[in-house]
Amino acid sequence: MLEFLIRIRATHEWPGVCRDRMAVVLTPDGWDCVVTAGWGDHRVRCDETEVAFSGEPVGWQLSFEGPMTQETAERFVASVAYQVEQEVGEPVEWIQIAW
């Protein structure tokens, strides 16, 4: 399972997103994804892959369940990271934590 963190660049902390804004901020623009039910604070389905978002003290943890290439997953995370950065008004970074 691919897993990533999106975190504040300077402090390595969780970039908080209001619950009522999660669907807008954590669902990447331009991707054919829909919000779906399941574990996590937010979850989307993109084709055959589900991505669960969990707000942790160290950042937003993204867990990919299902088929998605490494390159596609990285583009997905970069897109969400950009939206999070725009929402919180602070530079963020993303790192891969599991392959």
Side-chain angles (χ1 to χ4, degrees):
M1 177 184 317
L2 295 172
E3 292 186 341
F4 297 84
L5 278 179
I6 296 174
R7 62 190 186 181
I8 301 292
R9 184 177 301 149
T11 62
H12 295 175
E13 295 175 337
W14 175 66
V17 175
C18 293
R19 184 163 294 281
D20 64 340
R21 298 270 307 146
M22 279 195 252
V24 173
V25 177
L26 301 179
T27 305
D29 288 339
W31 290 69
D32 188 21
C33 300
V34 295
V35 176
T36 189
W39 71 269
D41 294 303
H42 180 68
R43 189 176 189 88
V44 296
R45 181 170 189 78
C46 307
D47 294 323
E48 296 178 33
T49 304
E50 290 193 15
V51 183
F53 293 79
S54 180
E56 304 294 336
V58 294
W60 280 105
Q61 181 175 338
L62 287 71
S63 301
F64 289 74
E65 301 171 6
M68 187 175 281
T69 68
Q70 177 78 30
E71 180 183 327
T72 302
E74 289 175 2
R75 284 189 293 116
F76 180 98
V77 175
S79 180
V80 173
Y82 174 78
Q83 291 176 192
V84 169
E85 187 171 273
Q86 297 303 303
E87 182 74 9
V88 302
E90 291 187 65
V92 302
E93 64 184 2
W94 59 270
I95 59 168
Q96 188 166 358
I97 58 172
W99 286 258

